[in-house]
Amino acid sequence: MYTNGSQSTIPSPRSLCTRAPMASTKFHFFLALQVLLSSTLTLAHPGLGYGWGNHGHNYYGLYPEFYEFSCPQVQDIVMTILEKAISKEPRMAASLLRLHFHDCFVQGCDASVLLDDSAMIVSEKNSGPNKNSLRGFEVIDEIKARLEEECPHTVSCADILALAARGSTVLSGGPYWQLPLGRRDSRTASLSGSNTNIPPPNSTIQNLITLFKRQGLDEIDLVALSGGHTIGMARCVTFKQRLYNQNGNNQPDETLERTYYYGLKSVCPPSGGDNNISPLDFASPKEFDNTYFKLILWGKGLLTSDQVFLTGNVEKTVELVKSYAKNPALFFDQFAKSMVKMGSMSPLTGFVGEVRENCRRIN
């Protein structure tokens, strides 16, 4: 042993004999206590067994290093599976981003959207915004199965959704952000919440602002997050009224640019074809960029809920569309910030909820 960092002090044999039993007893007591606490915390709240202090970026109990010790390979596993899935079908990136959005807007970011129908659960997959529309469940299943092999009972389905959304954005050319983790999974779902909280594609600007404000998101978040429509596709049923009966008078939406309008009519006939699809951003549908906002300025936003940022007579949203169309870096920065904000809505943490073994059903 050393005292004052320099001199060596050798205890006498007698002192060792008299102190050893008591020291040994204390050591074994604290060791047992540490093991008990560590195992309990790891099961209930993976990662927290390694310190309760401030982890820098703390969002409602979430922090990026949550799985640093309990499942350090989580990011690599998620990205490996995403790369394969998106390479096979580029559209999947947008589907996974949308899945996270539709989860967070109902009960918070708790993976309730992943639950299938059961004796106890009425699935959110049956809601108007989700039925025959949401995709990507099999990719989430694959990620979960792999993580259960590597880190059993550790990584929540809610965190997988958040990781998949960020990974899909990055793999499409979009921004990377420090992602707070530590969400737990709900044991309930809300079909009614899914039907009422998720903005419909024919929303007015005031309806969009109201629904986002209900979630604690402002106009900046609204426009930035809608920029996620820079990738992906939409079914004809979501925008057909713009082509044939926008205001109940059997006339098209006059804000649609004419050439774009005729092109959409060739994809979506007046009757039938509801499941035909068209790119939300026809100029670069696989690339996460700011073209979405440029198209809105040109009258080529696909959904009513896209174009109303310009035509809804709200000065703030008009300014934001113009700013993001002009400055892609500004859009990327705000999109990342708004994704963190949205992903931190009403998370289940600590001992609330559970970590599902299968994302489709409660344990």
PDB file of all heavy atoms in Angstrom, residues 151-189:
ATOM      1  N   CYS A 151     -28.467 -10.108 -26.606  1.00  0.00           N
ATOM      2  CA  CYS A 151     -28.669  -9.419 -25.322  1.00  0.00           C
ATOM      3  C   CYS A 151     -30.097  -9.696 -24.858  1.00  0.00           C
ATOM      4  O   CYS A 151     -30.972  -8.831 -25.000  1.00  0.00           O
ATOM      5  CB  CYS A 151     -28.474  -7.908 -25.476  1.00  0.00           C
ATOM      6  SG  CYS A 151     -27.049  -7.406 -26.456  1.00  0.00           S
ATOM      7  N   PRO A 152     -30.367 -10.877 -24.319  1.00  0.00           N
ATOM      8  CA  PRO A 152     -31.737 -11.248 -23.952  1.00  0.00           C
ATOM      9  C   PRO A 152     -32.376 -10.280 -22.962  1.00  0.00           C
ATOM     10  O   PRO A 152     -31.712  -9.790 -22.043  1.00  0.00           O
ATOM     11  CB  PRO A 152     -31.578 -12.640 -23.324  1.00  0.00           C
ATOM     12  CG  PRO A 152     -30.274 -13.152 -23.842  1.00  0.00           C
ATOM     13  CD  PRO A 152     -29.401 -11.943 -24.015  1.00  0.00           C
ATOM     14  N   HIS A 153     -33.661  -9.959 -23.191  1.00  0.00           N
ATOM     15  CA  HIS A 153     -34.477  -9.175 -22.254  1.00  0.00           C
ATOM     16  C   HIS A 153     -33.875  -7.804 -21.966  1.00  0.00           C
ATOM     17  O   HIS A 153     -33.976  -7.306 -20.842  1.00  0.00           O
ATOM     18  CB  HIS A 153     -34.668  -9.931 -20.935  1.00  0.00           C
ATOM     19  CG  HIS A 153     -34.954 -11.391 -21.091  1.00  0.00           C
ATOM     20  ND1 HIS A 153     -36.025 -11.861 -21.804  1.00  0.00           N
ATOM     21  CD2 HIS A 153     -34.289 -12.492 -20.636  1.00  0.00           C
ATOM     22  CE1 HIS A 153     -36.024 -13.185 -21.778  1.00  0.00           C
ATOM     23  NE2 HIS A 153     -34.980 -13.589 -21.095  1.00  0.00           N
ATOM     24  N   THR A 154     -33.239  -7.196 -22.939  1.00  0.00           N
ATOM     25  CA  THR A 154     -32.493  -5.963 -22.680  1.00  0.00           C
ATOM     26  C   THR A 154     -32.974  -4.778 -23.506  1.00  0.00           C
ATOM     27  O   THR A 154     -33.294  -3.724 -22.963  1.00  0.00           O
ATOM     28  CB  THR A 154     -30.991  -6.195 -22.942  1.00  0.00           C
ATOM     29  OG1 THR A 154     -30.524  -7.235 -22.083  1.00  0.00           O
ATOM     30  CG2 THR A 154     -30.184  -4.932 -22.679  1.00  0.00           C
ATOM     31  N   VAL A 155     -33.032  -4.918 -24.833  1.00  0.00           N
ATOM     32  CA  VAL A 155     -33.354  -3.789 -25.701  1.00  0.00           C
ATOM     33  C   VAL A 155     -34.852  -3.763 -25.991  1.00  0.00           C
ATOM     34  O   VAL A 155     -35.416  -4.734 -26.497  1.00  0.00           O
ATOM     35  CB  VAL A 155     -32.563  -3.859 -27.024  1.00  0.00           C
ATOM     36  CG1 VAL A 155     -32.880  -2.630 -27.891  1.00  0.00           C
ATOM     37  CG2 VAL A 155     -31.066  -3.947 -26.749  1.00  0.00           C
ATOM     38  N   SER A 156     -35.491  -2.654 -25.680  1.00  0.00           N
ATOM     39  CA  SER A 156     -36.942  -2.544 -25.855  1.00  0.00           C
ATOM     40  C   SER A 156     -37.319  -2.372 -27.321  1.00  0.00           C
ATOM     41  O   SER A 156     -36.530  -1.901 -28.146  1.00  0.00           O
ATOM     42  CB  SER A 156     -37.472  -1.349 -25.062  1.00  0.00           C
ATOM     43  OG  SER A 156     -37.029  -0.128 -25.639  1.00  0.00           O
ATOM     44  N   CYS A 157     -38.533  -2.733 -27.626  1.00  0.00           N
ATOM     45  CA  CYS A 157     -39.068  -2.544 -28.990  1.00  0.00           C
ATOM     46  C   CYS A 157     -39.209  -1.053 -29.306  1.00  0.00           C
ATOM     47  O   CYS A 157     -39.030  -0.637 -30.458  1.00  0.00           O
ATOM     48  CB  CYS A 157     -40.409  -3.250 -29.121  1.00  0.00           C
ATOM     49  SG  CYS A 157     -40.326  -5.031 -28.813  1.00  0.00           S
ATOM     50  N   ALA A 158     -39.538  -0.256 -28.301  1.00  0.00           N
ATOM     51  CA  ALA A 158     -39.663   1.188 -28.506  1.00  0.00           C
ATOM     52  C   ALA A 158     -38.327   1.794 -28.912  1.00  0.00           C
ATOM     53  O   ALA A 158     -38.264   2.666 -29.795  1.00  0.00           O
ATOM     54  CB  ALA A 158     -40.190   1.855 -27.231  1.00  0.00           C
ATOM     55  N   ASP A 159     -37.236   1.343 -28.295  1.00  0.00           N
ATOM     56  CA  ASP A 159     -35.913   1.820 -28.683  1.00  0.00           C
ATOM     57  C   ASP A 159     -35.526   1.311 -30.066  1.00  0.00           C
ATOM     58  O   ASP A 159     -34.857   2.008 -30.827  1.00  0.00           O
ATOM     59  CB  ASP A 159     -34.864   1.385 -27.654  1.00  0.00           C
ATOM     60  CG  ASP A 159     -34.774   2.337 -26.471  1.00  0.00           C
ATOM     61  OD1 ASP A 159     -35.322   3.442 -26.550  1.00  0.00           O
ATOM     62  OD2 ASP A 159     -34.147   1.961 -25.456  1.00  0.00           O
ATOM     63  N   ILE A 160     -35.931   0.093 -30.392  1.00  0.00           N
ATOM     64  CA  ILE A 160     -35.654  -0.435 -31.737  1.00  0.00           C
ATOM     65  C   ILE A 160     -36.314   0.448 -32.793  1.00  0.00           C
ATOM     66  O   ILE A 160     -35.714   0.756 -33.828  1.00  0.00           O
ATOM     67  CB  ILE A 160     -36.124  -1.890 -31.861  1.00  0.00           C
ATOM     68  CG1 ILE A 160     -35.251  -2.808 -30.988  1.00  0.00           C
ATOM     69  CG2 ILE A 160     -36.075  -2.363 -33.312  1.00  0.00           C
ATOM     70  CD1 ILE A 160     -35.744  -4.242 -30.913  1.00  0.00           C
ATOM     71  N   LEU A 161     -37.553   0.873 -32.558  1.00  0.00           N
ATOM     72  CA  LEU A 161     -38.233   1.763 -33.501  1.00  0.00           C
ATOM     73  C   LEU A 161     -37.467   3.074 -33.669  1.00  0.00           C
ATOM     74  O   LEU A 161     -37.310   3.573 -34.795  1.00  0.00           O
ATOM     75  CB  LEU A 161     -39.655   2.054 -33.019  1.00  0.00           C
ATOM     76  CG  LEU A 161     -40.685   0.945 -33.204  1.00  0.00           C
ATOM     77  CD1 LEU A 161     -42.005   1.332 -32.537  1.00  0.00           C
ATOM     78  CD2 LEU A 161     -40.920   0.652 -34.686  1.00  0.00           C
ATOM     79  N   ALA A 162     -36.989   3.629 -32.563  1.00  0.00           N
ATOM     80  CA  ALA A 162     -36.242   4.885 -32.629  1.00  0.00           C
ATOM     81  C   ALA A 162     -34.911   4.698 -33.357  1.00  0.00           C
ATOM     82  O   ALA A 162     -34.508   5.537 -34.179  1.00  0.00           O
ATOM     83  CB  ALA A 162     -36.003   5.418 -31.216  1.00  0.00           C
ATOM     84  N   LEU A 163     -34.226   3.598 -33.081  1.00  0.00           N
ATOM     85  CA  LEU A 163     -32.957   3.302 -33.748  1.00  0.00           C
ATOM     86  C   LEU A 163     -33.161   3.047 -35.238  1.00  0.00           C
ATOM     87  O   LEU A 163     -32.363   3.479 -36.072  1.00  0.00           O
ATOM     88  CB  LEU A 163     -32.296   2.086 -33.091  1.00  0.00           C
ATOM     89  CG  LEU A 163     -31.686   2.315 -31.713  1.00  0.00           C
ATOM     90  CD1 LEU A 163     -31.473   0.989 -30.990  1.00  0.00           C
ATOM     91  CD2 LEU A 163     -30.353   3.059 -31.833  1.00  0.00           C
ATOM     92  N   ALA A 164     -34.238   2.349 -35.581  1.00  0.00           N
ATOM     93  CA  ALA A 164     -34.520   2.054 -36.984  1.00  0.00           C
ATOM     94  C   ALA A 164     -34.861   3.329 -37.752  1.00  0.00           C
ATOM     95  O   ALA A 164     -34.488   3.481 -38.928  1.00  0.00           O
ATOM     96  CB  ALA A 164     -35.665   1.053 -37.089  1.00  0.00           C
ATOM     97  N   ALA A 165     -35.560   4.259 -37.106  1.00  0.00           N
ATOM     98  CA  ALA A 165     -35.903   5.524 -37.758  1.00  0.00           C
ATOM     99  C   ALA A 165     -34.646   6.341 -38.041  1.00  0.00           C
ATOM    100  O   ALA A 165     -34.476   6.886 -39.143  1.00  0.00           O
ATOM    101  CB  ALA A 165     -36.872   6.320 -36.881  1.00  0.00           C
ATOM    102  N   ARG A 166     -33.765   6.421 -37.054  1.00  0.00           N
ATOM    103  CA  ARG A 166     -32.521   7.166 -37.288  1.00  0.00           C
ATOM    104  C   ARG A 166     -31.665   6.472 -38.345  1.00  0.00           C
ATOM    105  O   ARG A 166     -31.141   7.110 -39.261  1.00  0.00           O
ATOM    106  CB  ARG A 166     -31.715   7.311 -35.999  1.00  0.00           C
ATOM    107  CG  ARG A 166     -30.425   8.109 -36.218  1.00  0.00           C
ATOM    108  CD  ARG A 166     -29.549   8.176 -34.996  1.00  0.00           C
ATOM    109  NE  ARG A 166     -29.030   6.868 -34.607  1.00  0.00           N
ATOM    110  CZ  ARG A 166     -28.199   6.674 -33.595  1.00  0.00           C
ATOM    111  NH1 ARG A 166     -27.813   7.702 -32.854  1.00  0.00           N
ATOM    112  NH2 ARG A 166     -27.772   5.456 -33.285  1.00  0.00           N
ATOM    113  N   GLY A 167     -31.508   5.158 -38.220  1.00  0.00           N
ATOM    114  CA  GLY A 167     -30.695   4.424 -39.176  1.00  0.00           C
ATOM    115  C   GLY A 167     -31.213   4.541 -40.594  1.00  0.00           C
ATOM    116  O   GLY A 167     -30.443   4.690 -41.547  1.00  0.00           O
ATOM    117  N   SER A 168     -32.535   4.506 -40.750  1.00  0.00           N
ATOM    118  CA  SER A 168     -33.140   4.639 -42.080  1.00  0.00           C
ATOM    119  C   SER A 168     -32.887   6.018 -42.668  1.00  0.00           C
ATOM    120  O   SER A 168     -32.651   6.165 -43.873  1.00  0.00           O
ATOM    121  CB  SER A 168     -34.649   4.380 -41.983  1.00  0.00           C
ATOM    122  OG  SER A 168     -34.910   3.046 -41.603  1.00  0.00           O
ATOM    123  N   THR A 169     -32.920   7.021 -41.821  1.00  0.00           N
ATOM    124  CA  THR A 169     -32.629   8.388 -42.271  1.00  0.00           C
ATOM    125  C   THR A 169     -31.191   8.502 -42.751  1.00  0.00           C
ATOM    126  O   THR A 169     -30.909   9.032 -43.834  1.00  0.00           O
ATOM    127  CB  THR A 169     -32.881   9.389 -41.131  1.00  0.00           C
ATOM    128  OG1 THR A 169     -34.240   9.303 -40.702  1.00  0.00           O
ATOM    129  CG2 THR A 169     -32.582  10.811 -41.570  1.00  0.00           C
ATOM    130  N   VAL A 170     -30.272   7.993 -41.958  1.00  0.00           N
ATOM    131  CA  VAL A 170     -28.844   8.069 -42.296  1.00  0.00           C
ATOM    132  C   VAL A 170     -28.543   7.300 -43.578  1.00  0.00           C
ATOM    133  O   VAL A 170     -27.830   7.792 -44.469  1.00  0.00           O
ATOM    134  CB  VAL A 170     -27.988   7.527 -41.126  1.00  0.00           C
ATOM    135  CG1 VAL A 170     -26.533   7.388 -41.543  1.00  0.00           C
ATOM    136  CG2 VAL A 170     -28.104   8.440 -39.911  1.00  0.00           C
ATOM    137  N   LEU A 171     -29.096   6.092 -43.689  1.00  0.00           N
ATOM    138  CA  LEU A 171     -28.834   5.271 -44.878  1.00  0.00           C
ATOM    139  C   LEU A 171     -29.440   5.860 -46.142  1.00  0.00           C
ATOM    140  O   LEU A 171     -29.051   5.490 -47.252  1.00  0.00           O
ATOM    141  CB  LEU A 171     -29.365   3.850 -44.651  1.00  0.00           C
ATOM    142  CG  LEU A 171     -28.597   3.017 -43.618  1.00  0.00           C
ATOM    143  CD1 LEU A 171     -29.329   1.712 -43.333  1.00  0.00           C
ATOM    144  CD2 LEU A 171     -27.176   2.736 -44.104  1.00  0.00           C
ATOM    145  N   SER A 172     -30.379   6.787 -45.996  1.00  0.00           N
ATOM    146  CA  SER A 172     -30.975   7.462 -47.150  1.00  0.00           C
ATOM    147  C   SER A 172     -30.268   8.778 -47.470  1.00  0.00           C
ATOM    148  O   SER A 172     -30.693   9.505 -48.362  1.00  0.00           O
ATOM    149  CB  SER A 172     -32.469   7.727 -46.888  1.00  0.00           C
ATOM    150  OG  SER A 172     -33.155   6.522 -46.648  1.00  0.00           O
ATOM    151  N   GLY A 173     -29.208   9.086 -46.720  1.00  0.00           N
ATOM    152  CA  GLY A 173     -28.455  10.306 -46.967  1.00  0.00           C
ATOM    153  C   GLY A 173     -28.786  11.453 -46.046  1.00  0.00           C
ATOM    154  O   GLY A 173     -28.314  12.578 -46.239  1.00  0.00           O
ATOM    155  N   GLY A 174     -29.615  11.186 -45.032  1.00  0.00           N
ATOM    156  CA  GLY A 174     -30.028  12.234 -44.102  1.00  0.00           C
ATOM    157  C   GLY A 174     -29.104  12.379 -42.914  1.00  0.00           C
ATOM    158  O   GLY A 174     -28.060  11.730 -42.833  1.00  0.00           O
ATOM    159  N   PRO A 175     -29.478  13.216 -41.958  1.00  0.00           N
ATOM    160  CA  PRO A 175     -28.611  13.525 -40.819  1.00  0.00           C
ATOM    161  C   PRO A 175     -28.564  12.405 -39.783  1.00  0.00           C
ATOM    162  O   PRO A 175     -29.473  11.588 -39.675  1.00  0.00           O
ATOM    163  CB  PRO A 175     -29.264  14.775 -40.217  1.00  0.00           C
ATOM    164  CG  PRO A 175     -30.719  14.617 -40.550  1.00  0.00           C
ATOM    165  CD  PRO A 175     -30.737  13.985 -41.917  1.00  0.00           C
ATOM    166  N   TYR A 176     -27.475  12.404 -39.023  1.00  0.00           N
ATOM    167  CA  TYR A 176     -27.302  11.533 -37.868  1.00  0.00           C
ATOM    168  C   TYR A 176     -27.516  12.387 -36.627  1.00  0.00           C
ATOM    169  O   TYR A 176     -27.213  13.578 -36.609  1.00  0.00           O
ATOM    170  CB  TYR A 176     -25.889  10.951 -37.872  1.00  0.00           C
ATOM    171  CG  TYR A 176     -25.543  10.124 -36.638  1.00  0.00           C
ATOM    172  CD1 TYR A 176     -25.783   8.766 -36.615  1.00  0.00           C
ATOM    173  CD2 TYR A 176     -24.986  10.724 -35.507  1.00  0.00           C
ATOM    174  CE1 TYR A 176     -25.482   8.008 -35.496  1.00  0.00           C
ATOM    175  CE2 TYR A 176     -24.675   9.968 -34.387  1.00  0.00           C
ATOM    176  CZ  TYR A 176     -24.923   8.607 -34.389  1.00  0.00           C
ATOM    177  OH  TYR A 176     -24.629   7.869 -33.272  1.00  0.00           O
ATOM    178  N   TRP A 177     -28.055  11.796 -35.559  1.00  0.00           N
ATOM    179  CA  TRP A 177     -28.214  12.533 -34.307  1.00  0.00           C
ATOM    180  C   TRP A 177     -27.948  11.614 -33.127  1.00  0.00           C
ATOM    181  O   TRP A 177     -28.115  10.398 -33.205  1.00  0.00           O
ATOM    182  CB  TRP A 177     -29.600  13.164 -34.193  1.00  0.00           C
ATOM    183  CG  TRP A 177     -30.765  12.219 -34.296  1.00  0.00           C
ATOM    184  CD1 TRP A 177     -31.398  11.560 -33.275  1.00  0.00           C
ATOM    185  CD2 TRP A 177     -31.457  11.822 -35.494  1.00  0.00           C
ATOM    186  NE1 TRP A 177     -32.434  10.800 -33.749  1.00  0.00           N
ATOM    187  CE2 TRP A 177     -32.492  10.943 -35.112  1.00  0.00           C
ATOM    188  CE3 TRP A 177     -31.298  12.143 -36.850  1.00  0.00           C
ATOM    189  CZ2 TRP A 177     -33.361  10.364 -36.036  1.00  0.00           C
ATOM    190  CZ3 TRP A 177     -32.165  11.572 -37.772  1.00  0.00           C
ATOM    191  CH2 TRP A 177     -33.185  10.695 -37.356  1.00  0.00           C
ATOM    192  N   GLN A 178     -27.500  12.228 -32.042  1.00  0.00           N
ATOM    193  CA  GLN A 178     -27.346  11.498 -30.787  1.00  0.00           C
ATOM    194  C   GLN A 178     -28.735  11.095 -30.316  1.00  0.00           C
ATOM    195  O   GLN A 178     -29.583  11.953 -30.067  1.00  0.00           O
ATOM    196  CB  GLN A 178     -26.658  12.374 -29.732  1.00  0.00           C
ATOM    197  CG  GLN A 178     -25.158  12.517 -29.928  1.00  0.00           C
ATOM    198  CD  GLN A 178     -24.412  11.224 -29.614  1.00  0.00           C
ATOM    199  OE1 GLN A 178     -24.740  10.525 -28.653  1.00  0.00           O
ATOM    200  NE2 GLN A 178     -23.420  10.906 -30.413  1.00  0.00           N
ATOM    201  N   LEU A 179     -28.969   9.809 -30.186  1.00  0.00           N
ATOM    202  CA  LEU A 179     -30.311   9.309 -29.910  1.00  0.00           C
ATOM    203  C   LEU A 179     -30.456   8.891 -28.451  1.00  0.00           C
ATOM    204  O   LEU A 179     -29.852   7.907 -28.025  1.00  0.00           O
ATOM    205  CB  LEU A 179     -30.610   8.121 -30.823  1.00  0.00           C
ATOM    206  CG  LEU A 179     -31.971   7.434 -30.634  1.00  0.00           C
ATOM    207  CD1 LEU A 179     -33.104   8.422 -30.870  1.00  0.00           C
ATOM    208  CD2 LEU A 179     -32.098   6.243 -31.581  1.00  0.00           C
ATOM    209  N   PRO A 180     -31.239   9.611 -27.663  1.00  0.00           N
ATOM    210  CA  PRO A 180     -31.491   9.194 -26.286  1.00  0.00           C
ATOM    211  C   PRO A 180     -32.232   7.856 -26.263  1.00  0.00           C
ATOM    212  O   PRO A 180     -33.209   7.667 -26.995  1.00  0.00           O
ATOM    213  CB  PRO A 180     -32.361  10.321 -25.711  1.00  0.00           C
ATOM    214  CG  PRO A 180     -32.090  11.492 -26.599  1.00  0.00           C
ATOM    215  CD  PRO A 180     -31.872  10.914 -27.963  1.00  0.00           C
ATOM    216  N   LEU A 181     -31.784   6.935 -25.420  1.00  0.00           N
ATOM    217  CA  LEU A 181     -32.362   5.593 -25.338  1.00  0.00           C
ATOM    218  C   LEU A 181     -32.771   5.279 -23.901  1.00  0.00           C
ATOM    219  O   LEU A 181     -32.414   5.987 -22.967  1.00  0.00           O
ATOM    220  CB  LEU A 181     -31.350   4.554 -25.840  1.00  0.00           C
ATOM    221  CG  LEU A 181     -30.924   4.698 -27.304  1.00  0.00           C
ATOM    222  CD1 LEU A 181     -29.688   3.850 -27.596  1.00  0.00           C
ATOM    223  CD2 LEU A 181     -32.073   4.319 -28.232  1.00  0.00           C
ATOM    224  N   GLY A 182     -33.506   4.201 -23.752  1.00  0.00           N
ATOM    225  CA  GLY A 182     -33.964   3.794 -22.428  1.00  0.00           C
ATOM    226  C   GLY A 182     -35.474   3.690 -22.324  1.00  0.00           C
ATOM    227  O   GLY A 182     -36.014   3.510 -21.225  1.00  0.00           O
ATOM    228  N   ARG A 183     -36.155   3.784 -23.470  1.00  0.00           N
ATOM    229  CA  ARG A 183     -37.618   3.613 -23.468  1.00  0.00           C
ATOM    230  C   ARG A 183     -37.959   2.170 -23.104  1.00  0.00           C
ATOM    231  O   ARG A 183     -37.217   1.245 -23.403  1.00  0.00           O
ATOM    232  CB  ARG A 183     -38.195   3.911 -24.854  1.00  0.00           C
ATOM    233  CG  ARG A 183     -37.915   5.298 -25.371  1.00  0.00           C
ATOM    234  CD  ARG A 183     -38.176   5.390 -26.870  1.00  0.00           C
ATOM    235  NE  ARG A 183     -37.681   6.645 -27.418  1.00  0.00           N
ATOM    236  CZ  ARG A 183     -36.406   6.877 -27.719  1.00  0.00           C
ATOM    237  NH1 ARG A 183     -35.500   5.922 -27.549  1.00  0.00           N
ATOM    238  NH2 ARG A 183     -36.038   8.047 -28.190  1.00  0.00           N
ATOM    239  N   ARG A 184     -39.122   1.998 -22.504  1.00  0.00           N
ATOM    240  CA  ARG A 184     -39.640   0.661 -22.264  1.00  0.00           C
ATOM    241  C   ARG A 184     -40.957   0.496 -23.024  1.00  0.00           C
ATOM    242  O   ARG A 184     -41.509   1.468 -23.537  1.00  0.00           O
ATOM    243  CB  ARG A 184     -39.817   0.421 -20.756  1.00  0.00           C
ATOM    244  CG  ARG A 184     -38.464   0.206 -20.069  1.00  0.00           C
ATOM    245  CD  ARG A 184     -38.565   0.300 -18.571  1.00  0.00           C
ATOM    246  NE  ARG A 184     -39.372  -0.765 -17.994  1.00  0.00           N
ATOM    247  CZ  ARG A 184     -38.915  -1.992 -17.702  1.00  0.00           C
ATOM    248  NH1 ARG A 184     -37.669  -2.318 -17.992  1.00  0.00           N
ATOM    249  NH2 ARG A 184     -39.701  -2.879 -17.128  1.00  0.00           N
ATOM    250  N   ASP A 185     -41.413  -0.730 -23.125  1.00  0.00           N
ATOM    251  CA  ASP A 185     -42.571  -1.047 -23.953  1.00  0.00           C
ATOM    252  C   ASP A 185     -43.859  -1.052 -23.146  1.00  0.00           C
ATOM    253  O   ASP A 185     -43.894  -1.517 -22.004  1.00  0.00           O
ATOM    254  CB  ASP A 185     -42.379  -2.419 -24.601  1.00  0.00           C
ATOM    255  CG  ASP A 185     -41.125  -2.488 -25.444  1.00  0.00           C
ATOM    256  OD1 ASP A 185     -40.786  -1.474 -26.083  1.00  0.00           O
ATOM    257  OD2 ASP A 185     -40.468  -3.553 -25.455  1.00  0.00           O
ATOM    258  N   SER A 186     -44.926  -0.565 -23.782  1.00  0.00           N
ATOM    259  CA  SER A 186     -46.229  -0.545 -23.122  1.00  0.00           C
ATOM    260  C   SER A 186     -46.845  -1.936 -23.106  1.00  0.00           C
ATOM    261  O   SER A 186     -46.497  -2.799 -23.908  1.00  0.00           O
ATOM    262  CB  SER A 186     -47.173   0.418 -23.839  1.00  0.00           C
ATOM    263  OG  SER A 186     -47.535  -0.108 -25.106  1.00  0.00           O
ATOM    264  N   ARG A 187     -47.788  -2.093 -22.220  1.00  0.00           N
ATOM    265  CA  ARG A 187     -48.577  -3.329 -22.164  1.00  0.00           C
ATOM    266  C   ARG A 187     -49.993  -3.080 -22.670  1.00  0.00           C
ATOM    267  O   ARG A 187     -50.876  -3.897 -22.500  1.00  0.00           O
ATOM    268  CB  ARG A 187     -48.608  -3.862 -20.721  1.00  0.00           C
ATOM    269  CG  ARG A 187     -47.229  -4.259 -20.187  1.00  0.00           C
ATOM    270  CD  ARG A 187     -47.290  -4.682 -18.728  1.00  0.00           C
ATOM    271  NE  ARG A 187     -48.261  -5.760 -18.515  1.00  0.00           N
ATOM    272  CZ  ARG A 187     -47.985  -7.056 -18.729  1.00  0.00           C
ATOM    273  NH1 ARG A 187     -46.790  -7.416 -19.183  1.00  0.00           N
ATOM    274  NH2 ARG A 187     -48.901  -7.974 -18.507  1.00  0.00           N
ATOM    275  N   THR A 188     -50.186  -1.915 -23.295  1.00  0.00           N
ATOM    276  CA  THR A 188     -51.503  -1.535 -23.817  1.00  0.00           C
ATOM    277  C   THR A 188     -51.347  -0.899 -25.187  1.00  0.00           C
ATOM    278  O   THR A 188     -50.246  -0.487 -25.586  1.00  0.00           O
ATOM    279  CB  THR A 188     -52.210  -0.530 -22.896  1.00  0.00           C
ATOM    280  OG1 THR A 188     -51.435   0.685 -22.844  1.00  0.00           O
ATOM    281  CG2 THR A 188     -52.375  -1.087 -21.487  1.00  0.00           C
ATOM    282  N   ALA A 189     -52.459  -0.813 -25.903  1.00  0.00           N
ATOM    283  CA  ALA A 189     -52.517  -0.097 -27.176  1.00  0.00           C
ATOM    284  C   ALA A 189     -53.767   0.771 -27.160  1.00  0.00           C
ATOM    285  O   ALA A 189     -54.633   0.613 -26.299  1.00  0.00           O
ATOM    286  CB  ALA A 189     -52.543  -1.079 -28.347  1.00  0.00           C
TER     287      ALA A 189
END
